[in-house]
Amino acid sequence: MDFEVSYTLDNEQQFWDELDEIVSASCETHGLIDDALRSYLTFTANYKGEYLSTEYDIARCSYKLLDSALFSKHKDYVRWQIVYSLLQEDSPETLHLIVAFLLYDGKQNEATFVMMKKEGVFPRLLELLQERKDDDVGLHRMLLELLYEMSRIQRLRIEDLSVSENHVVDYLACTDENLAVLIEDEFIAFLLGIIEGLSDDVNDPYHYPVIRVLLILNEQYMVSAHDPGPDQPRAMQLTNKVVKILSLHGSAYKTFGENIILLLNREGETSLQLLILKLLYLLFTTPSTYEYFYTNDLRVLVDVMIRNLLDLPFSATALRHTYLRVLYPLLAHTQLKHPPHYKRDELLRLLTMMTSTGGAMEHHFGAVDETTKRLVGRCVGVSWLREEVEGEKEKEGSGSEKQAKKKKLLDVALAEGMASALSVVEVTTQKEKPGVQTPSLGRKAQETEDVDGSGSKSGGGGDDAVGAETETPEIISKVVVVPPPEKSPFEVDGEA
């Protein structure tokens, strides 16, 4: 017998009252739970256009179920049923409520995203994103957010990236040509096209989710290629679709490049910084994308990297290494290698500081480890920086302190830096938990200043202080990632 209930409502308060009653039902059997969930989805979908017209309303509706006794007593079963509904449902109104619930639940409990991967949700999300692109923009944006959040906390299965669930493949003989591709070139081009279509409005909320999905797909391809899991045969090679489309049609998608540099400039979350740096690394080490970015954007990127390297405390060694690994191909392969050479003096001063021992510089950057020496040497080995060091050697006396520093830096470059190959594996495997903020010497100094009320700026001065002379772009904003709430954010409304 089908479970059907009809409702007649006169106002919004009646809607929320009725929703409270639905999620408060006492359900001790799976059948009763199923009835309550069907009632929840049917009721909310029917009144979505009338009473759930904003993202706030959708979120409030989701937390009604998340905070209910129904969910707290039967979490695993409710999650499984909602995931199953996502795999089967076609109505855009119902899909919006399902996706919202899984997104908010997953942000509080990553087990939800793990369950989604296990149940084959990733291919379903790709399908919905491609087939529902003309549906409600809010639904499409939330599908992007769910795909991103699900993918960034775990390695996707190789079949999620390339093989459909019903496609039988001899993995040992598998190549990119005979895989049943789930992520088509057209899908990547479609996402890049969305960004181009919104290029006049950088604050459009659609920008951010689309960019993050492209970044996370790139990382998943990198992990598959350079850090394969135990179940992935070494012979299996996947084409990185993000880099492929930018290689073939990069001139049509310049806005994406502008935006990832802007995002790196303002982003405070370490995991997202790493996602951006990973894509930059590939673009700067792939010949067909050496000159994908506009020259002015590359100069902004140099400013951002100088500032960020100066701002990282000595404890952020792994992130500093990743920045240095990206800095080398940026300086060596892109248009920056052509005169006039941008910020050459500032770059050399920064790199010298990073390999200095003793005094204020060691206090700032910490003890110089061998990896930092090698990576700094690699950067100084770039021809147009090396020419500057060698030119100074001819101009200055051998007893000069400044000359001694530059000679030491050049020795490091020639003896160590050029002997080391770029390591894409090291870049690929760098990870950080979502929500962790990048440590900042500047932010720490500002907090100290605010506490003591002295009004004086902390930080070193003198001729060797790069920060005093380097023109860095204004920090447009810092994204503050707030940990998922343990309770509903809607309790301020006086509701459970």
Side-chain angles (χ1 to χ4, degrees):
M1 178 177 173
D2 294 336
F3 183 83
E4 295 184 5
V5 178
S6 60
Y7 300 91
T8 302
L9 304 179
D10 296 325
N11 55 59
E12 182 178 358
Q13 187 57 50
Q14 286 187 4
F15 170 83
W16 294 110
D17 291 343
E18 187 62 41
L19 186 58
D20 282 333
E21 184 174 337
I22 291 172
V23 299
S24 299
S26 177
C27 303
E28 300 302 328
T29 67
H30 286 175
L32 290 175
I33 296 171
D34 293 344
D35 288 344
L37 292 177
R38 277 196 294 270
S39 182
Y40 169 84
L41 290 175
T42 301
F43 178 71
T44 53
N46 285 343
Y47 289 96
K48 180 177 177 294
E50 189 171 355
Y51 299 125
L52 301 176
S53 57
T54 68
E55 291 186 7
Y56 175 87
D57 295 331
I58 296 290
R60 183 182 176 188
C61 182
S62 299
Y63 275 98
K64 287 286 188 181
L65 180 55
L66 285 168
D67 295 335
S68 69
L70 170 65
F71 181 70
S72 64
K73 292 180 180 179
H74 312 283
K75 289 183 179 180
D76 289 342
Y77 185 77
V78 170
R79 286 184 180 122
W80 189 88
Q81 286 292 71
I82 297 293
V83 168
Y84 182 78
S85 297
L86 176 61
L87 295 173
Q88 302 294 322
E89 186 59 56
D90 289 321
S91 165
E93 291 79 15
T94 306
L95 280 170
H96 201 158
L97 274 301
I98 290 172
V99 171
F101 174 85
L102 292 173
L103 178 62
Y104 295 125
D105 181 35
K107 285 184 175 182
Q108 296 181 126
N109 190 332
E110 291 182 354
T112 300
F113 295 143
V114 175
M115 177 189 290
M116 289 168 58
K117 172 187 144 179
K118 182 180 178 181
E119 297 298 329
V121 167
F122 184 82
R124 173 61 171 164
L125 292 177
L126 289 178
E127 175 189 357
L128 290 172
L129 281 168
Q130 295 176 85
E131 293 182 355
R132 302 283 177 166
K133 57 188 177 182
D134 297 325
D135 284 340
D136 177 54
V137 172
L139 169 60
H140 202 258
R141 183 167 62 244
M142 195 162 283
L143 285 167
L144 289 166
E145 292 177 2
L146 183 59
L147 186 145
Y148 169 75
E149 295 292 346
M150 170 191 168
S151 303
R152 73 167 175 162
I153 60 106
Q154 60 193 325
R155 179 198 296 266
L156 295 177
R157 301 174 302 180
I158 189 66
E159 57 265 35
D160 285 337
L161 292 172
S162 305
V163 186
S164 64
E165 292 293 328
N166 298 320
H167 191 71
V168 179
V169 177
D170 179 3
Y171 283 106
L172 296 179
C174 194
T175 65
D176 192 54
E177 286 73 19
N178 63 20
L179 289 175
V181 178
L182 290 180
I183 303 177
E184 301 283 355
D185 293 359
E186 291 76 12
F187 177 63
I188 301 300
F190 163 67
L191 294 179
L192 291 167
I194 291 175
I195 299 170
E196 288 298 317
L198 301 171
S199 60
D200 293 335
D201 184 6
V202 73
N203 294 314
D204 190 292
Y206 216 173
H207 259 109
Y208 196 50
V210 176
I211 291 171
R212 293 193 305 177
V213 165
L214 288 165
L215 292 173
I216 201 66
L217 290 178
N218 173 72
E219 183 190 52
Q220 291 289 345
Y221 280 123
M222 290 182 72
V223 168
S224 174
H226 303 291
D227 186 28
D231 298 329
Q232 179 182 336
R234 294 283 177 174
M236 180 181 292
Q237 295 294 322
L238 303 179
T239 298
N240 186 324
K241 300 290 187 176
V242 179
V243 175
K244 176 184 177 181
I245 296 302
L246 291 177
S247 296
L248 295 175
H249 310 291
S251 60
Y253 303 117
K254 292 283 194 178
T255 303
F256 174 68
E258 297 172 15
N259 278 309
I260 61 174
I261 292 176
L262 176 63
L263 191 57
L264 183 65
N265 178 47
R266 64 169 59 174
E267 184 54 56
E269 186 181 9
T270 303
S271 62
L272 192 49
Q273 285 189 41
L274 287 170
L275 288 179
I276 297 169
L277 291 171
K278 289 175 183 182
L279 180 57
L280 290 175
Y281 179 87
L282 284 189
L283 295 177
F284 296 148
T285 56
T286 302
S288 55
T289 53
Y290 281 174
E291 298 189 0
Y292 164 64
F293 293 91
Y294 291 116
T295 301
N296 283 341
D297 291 331
L298 293 177
R299 290 173 177 171
V300 171
L301 180 58
V302 169
D303 289 336
V304 172
M305 297 189 77
I306 290 175
R307 185 202 64 208
N308 288 357
L309 282 168
L310 278 171
D311 194 39
L312 288 174
F314 64 83
S315 60
T317 303
L319 184 57
R320 182 182 299 111
H321 289 169
T322 304
Y323 269 101
L324 288 171
R325 286 189 170 96
V326 175
L327 182 62
Y328 168 74
L330 166 64
L331 301 178
H333 297 156
T334 70
Q335 305 95 293
L336 295 178
K337 65 184 178 182
H338 303 300
H341 295 128
Y342 186 71
K343 294 290 177 74
R344 180 162 59 182
D345 291 343
E346 289 86 345
L347 286 164
L348 284 172
R349 193 177 299 119
L350 168 66
L351 295 170
T352 302
M353 289 167 56
M354 295 183 71
T355 53
S356 297
T357 56
M361 291 305 99
E362 183 170 339
H363 177 73
H364 182 94
F365 288 106
V368 183
D369 61 278
E370 291 302 314
T371 301
T372 297
K373 287 182 181 179
R374 186 177 70 254
L375 295 174
V376 166
R378 184 181 297 164
C379 292
V380 179
V382 173
S383 60
W384 57 274
L385 288 180
R386 188 171 69 246
E387 291 168 2
E388 173 69 11
V389 176
E390 292 173 338
E392 288 292 334
K393 180 177 179 180
E394 296 177 358
K395 294 180 182 179
E396 300 183 12
S398 59
S400 165
E401 180 181 353
K402 184 177 181 182
Q403 169 59 27
K405 287 182 179 180
K406 290 194 173 183
K407 181 179 184 302
K408 179 180 178 182
L409 196 60
L410 180 59
D411 290 342
V412 171
L414 298 179
E416 299 183 27
M418 302 308 291
S420 177
L422 290 172
S423 177
V424 66
V425 175
E426 290 296 328
V427 175
T428 299
T429 55
Q430 287 301 316
K431 296 285 289 184
E432 183 55 270
K433 293 181 179 179
V436 174
Q437 294 292 291
T438 302
S440 166
L441 289 173
R443 186 164 60 244
K444 183 177 180 181
Q446 182 62 49
E447 291 171 354
T448 302
E449 178 184 336
D450 292 341
V451 170
D452 62 31
S454 63
S456 60
K457 298 286 184 181
S458 60
D463 294 338
D464 288 332
V466 175
E469 296 182 20
T470 303
E471 295 179 9
T472 55
E474 179 183 0
I475 303 176
I476 300 174
S477 67
K478 281 287 186 181
V479 178
V480 179
V481 179
V482 181
E486 296 181 0
K487 297 182 179 181
S488 169
F490 301 98
E491 287 189 355
V492 295
D493 295 336
E495 302 173 31

